[in-house]
Amino acid sequence: MKRRLLTGNGAAAWAARLAGVDYVPAFPITPQTEIIESLANWIDRGEMPGRLVTLESEHSMLTAAGAAAATGVRVFSATSSQGLLYAMEMLYTVSGWRAPFVLVNVSRGLSSPITLEPDHNDILAARDSGFLQIHCATCQEVLDSVLLAYRLGEDNRVRLPVLVNMDGFYLSFTREPVEVPEAEAVAAFLPSFQAGEIRFRASAPESQAVAVLGGGPYSYFRYETHLAARIAIQVYDELADVFEQSFGRRHAAVECYRCEDADYLFVMIGSFATKARAAVDSLREAGWSIGLLRPRLFRPFPEAQVRRLLAGRRAVAVIDQNLSFGAGGVLYAELAAALYGEKAAPPVLASFVGGLGGRDIPPEEFYEIARLIRDAAERGETPPPRLLYTEAELRETRKLQAIAKVERAGLGAKS
Amino acid sequence: MNETAFKNVKSLPSSHLLGTGTPMCAGCGGLEALHEIYDVLGEKSVFVNAAGCMTLLAVYPFTPFRGSWLYTAMASAPAGAQGIRDALDILKQKGEIEEEEDLQVVTLTGDGAAYGMGLSATSGVIERNLDFLYICYDNEGYGNTGQQYSGATPHGAKTATSLGLSGFAGYKKPLFDIWAAHRPAYVATVIGAEPLDLARKIEKAKSLKGPRLIIALSPCPTGWDFDPKESVNIGKLAVKSGVWPLKEYVDGQVVHTKLPTRRLPVVRYLETQGRFRHLFEPERQEGLLKEIQQRVDEYWAAVTC
């Protein structure tokens, strides 16, 4: 096992290489491009087998990925943000083909306004697509999760494509020490892809993804996909054990940091959760009984584990790095749904939205959130959802607007 | 075409590989062409389909195909062909499948996908020199949704979205030229009503490697408004009037495979179809008819081979 300084993108590329992927349909998009560039270079130099083809769009890329997986090869691809949305029709489509492969998404805020920096509206738009979702907080997790994702998706009880998510810039371009396992160890953990009966061969004609008439057969196939995704919770837990035995690292479906006796919890997904983790440490030092809950598995949603881990807490703050316009944080709604009717549910479940388009969530905001939920618990009253933003930021934005106005007026005067 | 196995109509295959009882409309010119194509192509094929009329060929759990089928989406059937072709090549290269397990990869779409939404994906696979066959059944409109005009609709045709007196204001997109401009291995126009010409072209396409693309004009009783029994006659008239030139592109050359020496007037073709009735009734629209004839004449005036 070698330790290397790898970016999240580098870790994703290494995982694909170690997984022995046969086929990489690709399309460049910031901040994901480094992944396909790395794979293209390795393949060109003969350092890894496999074939990489750059398609003319992410929509075609996903179609080719699904079609190749449905023919029986191991497929890897990667995208980000607008690319994921451009491919969205095919995400929903290929999951129904029950042909597993892994797609890495490097989260980046969606247009408009157009930005390069991260939040989770892109990946959460794929929430109901039938792709399973694993959310990473470190570069090591990216590498490990891609390997886990192949085992999970290819399991005969599951057979679904898997999205592995990392945050743009924060993980994609940040170098961290990453343990890169030996090829033999990976081969032992991840045997070659067995396509089973889902593949195209001359001797065994096969019609895939045909039309149905009426809701009966339609519902049958949709329910099948749902039930396969539900089984993936149990399969994931089994694999987390196997992975730990193989590589010595544990990646639980739901990570709970300093949770044991915590009265208060932050809940976050992705790399911004590491900011919450640091805040937990500081607050603990100051005497707070607080922890961090971080679901890694988001689809299927491991609500039983989430319920168990949230039971008996005094107050919980869900910090969403996404915004469902007109509703609020998506993770918040998922948690509220999981907790409804539970006797031991925390009496206060408060919603915060922050980190949009890479906006930082500084420690003092976590401390403020902690104070807010503690006070709410004491009053027995859930505070209204809060959009994290400071007066300084508002002032800065207003200043930009004022400058632009003056500049425009100046141009107008000249003409 | 000296080496053809198809010397005359009698030598055409009568294997009828494509099953019957599909939900296509009676008199569907697209299905007619597909029957003929499939007999030449054979069952060692996988059809990659885009949204269109023929999506309903394979309805769970039945299929008229002896071979395989994958439905993708409207815009990306060529990309689906790319994925399957690449995967089969990888499996062969790795020695995981034998040569006889290989399949001809065939993209099957209507004109809506071919002329419009899927054009970028088609351009992409030709650019990447994909070894595949594309069959476009062209019924000159979004037929499956009730014949709204598409990029393939001819000038003056009445469609569900061009109901005015002059019909469709645009002109049929030159897809053959657009495809040929990419310099693929083969491009051809065919029509089910000329089965010998069609069979020879599929035979030739089958013998070549690389992107091979076929446009089959598909007389459409429901979309074009005519009696289903007239489908073959209308197809023949499309060729005889010069409206649908039968030609092929190979080795950088466009060659017409049927030169109508005595072309019938275009009105003979137009008057057979309800979609052009407004050109004759209640008033004969001489200007528009003349323009349509003129464009056909200009096309043929430029044809040398």
Side-chain angles (χ1 to χ4, degrees):
Chain A
M1 197 170 304
K2 295 186 200 78
R3 267 167 85 86
R4 292 169 185 265
L5 267 181
L6 290 181
T7 60
N9 282 343
W14 262 104
R17 175 173 169 165
L18 289 166
V21 299
D22 297 303
Y23 188 50
V24 184
F27 194 82
I29 182 169
T30 304
Q32 166 278 126
T33 309
E34 183 191 358
I35 300 174
I36 60 161
E37 280 182 354
S38 304
L39 292 169
N41 288 334
W42 289 334
I43 291 169
D44 282 350
R45 291 203 300 257
E47 290 175 23
M48 70 175 273
R51 184 180 295 203
L52 181 142
V53 176
T54 301
L55 280 291
E56 76 295 332
S57 75
E58 290 89 351
H59 188 275
S60 281
M61 178 184 92
L62 253 289
T63 309
T71 311
V73 299
R74 184 172 280 159
V75 178
F76 175 85
S77 192
T79 189
S80 181
S81 190
Q82 304 301 123
L84 188 72
L85 262 72
Y86 198 72
M88 196 58 79
E89 181 191 22
M90 296 320 294
L91 263 79
Y92 276 74
T93 301
V94 300
S95 67
W97 299 357
R98 307 299 301 276
F101 63 97
V102 173
L103 174 66
V104 166
N105 183 65
V106 183
S107 263
R108 164 183 151 189
L110 294 173
S111 189
S112 59
I114 187 90
T115 184
L116 295 176
E117 296 193 56
D119 67 40
H120 296 152
N121 264 103
D122 59 353
I123 182 72
L124 293 179
R127 184 187 64 175
D128 306 330
S129 66
F131 273 65
L132 309 182
Q133 282 191 17
I134 300 174
H135 289 252
C136 303
T138 66
C139 295
Q140 183 71 61
E141 254 189 87
V142 172
L143 189 147
D144 293 350
S145 297
V146 169
L147 301 178
L148 268 165
Y150 276 109
R151 268 286 298 259
L152 179 65
E154 289 174 8
D155 190 289
N156 269 331
R157 293 165 288 179
V158 180
R159 286 201 64 105
L160 285 169
V162 186
L163 266 161
V164 173
N165 199 65
M166 73 172 111
D167 293 300
F169 291 78
Y170 283 81
L171 286 188
S172 70
F173 299 151
T174 305
R175 280 180 199 277
E176 292 179 347
V178 175
E179 300 220 339
V180 180
E182 298 298 335
E184 300 74 41
V186 174
F189 171 75
L190 182 65
S192 62
F193 174 40
Q194 299 303 313
E197 287 171 8
I198 305 181
R199 80 265 189 282
F200 294 114
R201 300 288 183 271
S203 64
E206 174 84 24
S207 293
Q208 294 197 39
V210 299
V212 295
L213 294 179
Y218 182 80
S219 303
Y220 171 84
F221 288 110
R222 304 295 282 188
Y223 289 162
E224 284 268 302
T225 299
H226 171 65
L227 295 171
R230 295 299 300 167
I231 288 170
I233 298 176
Q234 174 204 330
V235 176
Y236 182 91
D237 288 343
E238 291 169 17
L239 289 177
D241 290 342
V242 180
F243 190 92
E244 189 179 13
Q245 285 153 20
S246 305
F247 302 106
R249 290 183 295 276
R250 178 154 194 89
H251 298 295
V254 185
E255 186 192 82
C256 216
Y257 179 68
R258 301 186 86 167
C259 277
E260 306 74 46
D261 59 340
D263 290 328
Y264 305 103
L265 288 182
F266 297 124
V267 182
M268 288 188 84
I269 54 176
S271 67
F272 271 46
T274 58
K275 294 170 186 282
R277 197 178 159 116
V280 164
D281 287 341
S282 302
L283 286 162
R284 282 270 178 185
E285 261 181 59
W288 282 71
S289 169
I290 193 162
L292 163 70
L293 182 98
R294 179 172 69 90
R296 280 178 23 84
L297 193 61
F298 188 70
R299 276 294 175 276
F301 193 64
E303 63 273 297
Q305 293 175 53
V306 167
R307 260 183 223 130
R308 194 174 62 245
L309 290 163
L310 292 182
R313 314 291 177 181
R314 295 191 64 200
V316 172
V318 186
I319 305 163
D320 269 287
Q321 205 180 346
N322 66 79
L323 185 52
S324 171
F325 301 133
V330 172
L331 184 59
Y332 176 78
E334 299 265 333
L335 256 74
L339 291 171
Y340 183 80
E342 288 293 304
K343 280 203 180 69
V348 170
L349 184 72
S351 172
F352 300 84
V353 170
L356 300 189
R359 179 200 179 273
D360 190 25
I361 306 178
E364 48 277 20
E365 289 188 7
F366 284 104
Y367 307 153
E368 174 69 12
I369 290 167
R371 274 193 296 274
L372 262 164
I373 59 167
R374 183 191 58 194
D375 295 351
E378 269 158 27
R379 284 201 315 277
E381 204 175 87
T382 295
R386 206 171 251 228
L387 308 176
L388 303 182
Y389 211 60
T390 59
E391 277 178 13
E393 283 171 298
L394 185 61
R395 228 175 11 250
E396 195 56 34
T397 305
R398 293 266 189 260
K399 202 166 91 188
L400 287 173
Q401 290 168 342
I403 292 168
K405 208 170 173 182
V406 170
E407 290 280 325
R408 194 158 48 191
L411 287 173
K414 272 176 222 152
S415 61
Chain B
M1 287 205 180
N2 294 329
E3 323 84 55
T4 180
F6 307 121
K7 304 286 182 214
N8 50 46
V9 177
K10 279 191 174 167
S11 62
L12 291 176
S14 54
S15 41
H16 303 300
L17 280 182
L18 193 73
T20 53
T22 69
M24 297 298 104
C25 305
C28 172
L31 189 63
E32 176 196 17
L34 185 62
H35 268 288
E36 297 169 13
I37 291 167
Y38 201 44
D39 277 347
V40 179
L41 206 57
E43 57 201 77
K44 275 177 78 167
S45 51
V46 51
F47 277 74
V48 188
N49 176 239
C53 296
M54 291 202 183
T55 298
L56 291 175
L57 280 177
V59 175
Y60 184 78
F62 305 108
T63 174
F65 291 93
R66 309 273 181 105
S68 292
W69 168 273
L70 175 69
Y71 171 74
T72 55
M74 190 154 180
S76 59
Q82 175 96 45
I84 295 177
R85 181 68 268 154
D86 287 344
L88 288 168
D89 286 344
I90 289 165
L91 290 165
K92 281 201 292 182
Q93 205 179 349
K94 290 173 78 178
E96 288 182 17
I97 60 167
E98 301 295 321
E99 187 62 40
E100 57 264 30
E101 288 287 27
D102 199 8
L103 295 160
Q104 304 170 79
V105 183
V106 185
T107 291
L108 176 69
T109 84
D111 53 281
Y115 284 71
M117 204 192 268
L119 192 49
S120 158
T122 312
S123 178
V125 290
I126 305 176
E127 157 205 326
R128 294 186 293 272
N129 200 35
L130 185 71
D131 184 28
F132 87 124
L133 182 68
Y134 191 134
I135 296 162
C136 165
Y137 54 98
D138 177 0
N139 69 344
E140 306 195 313
Y142 296 110
N144 204 32
T145 46
Q147 199 71 5
Q148 298 76 27
Y149 65 76
S150 77
T153 301
H155 188 58
K158 187 179 88 177
T159 70
T161 44
S162 58
L163 291 167
L165 261 186
S166 335
F168 178 55
Y171 296 88
K172 189 175 176 75
K173 194 185 283 185
L175 186 63
F176 179 94
D177 300 340
I178 294 168
W179 279 353
H182 290 73
R183 305 184 70 80
Y186 189 67
V187 187
T189 59
V190 300
I191 192 159
E194 297 290 347
L196 192 57
D197 179 79
L198 178 147
R200 286 172 175 170
K201 284 170 174 166
I202 302 302
E203 182 190 32
K204 182 180 269 186
K206 209 179 155 182
S207 74
L208 297 168
K209 283 262 172 210
R212 293 148 288 150
L213 306 100
I214 311 282
I215 315 172
L217 185 71
S218 304
C220 173
T222 46
W224 298 6
D225 188 12
F226 62 80
D227 189 318
K229 74 178 196 306
E230 294 302 322
S231 208
V232 175
N233 289 334
I234 288 171
K236 285 189 182 298
L237 280 171
V239 176
K240 285 179 178 163
S241 63
V243 164
W244 187 245
L246 293 173
K247 55 186 171 180
E248 57 186 3
Y249 165 93
V250 64
D251 296 332
Q253 291 287 316
V254 176
V255 176
H256 285 75
T257 52
K258 233 181 167 65
L259 285 166
T261 41
R262 284 200 311 249
R263 270 188 289 121
L264 295 176
V266 170
V267 289
R268 290 280 304 278
Y269 170 69
L270 301 178
E271 68 193 5
T272 58
Q273 302 158 52
R275 64 174 173 159
F276 295 117
R277 196 164 296 136
H278 58 288
L279 303 180
F280 304 97
E281 297 169 359
E283 298 285 339
R284 202 176 157 92
Q285 300 197 50
E286 290 296 353
L288 202 43
L289 288 169
K290 207 174 138 193
E291 191 201 337
I292 294 170
Q293 181 67 58
Q294 214 163 20
R295 289 179 74 88
V296 174
D297 292 345
E298 278 165 18
Y299 176 87
W300 287 102
V303 169
T304 53
C305 58

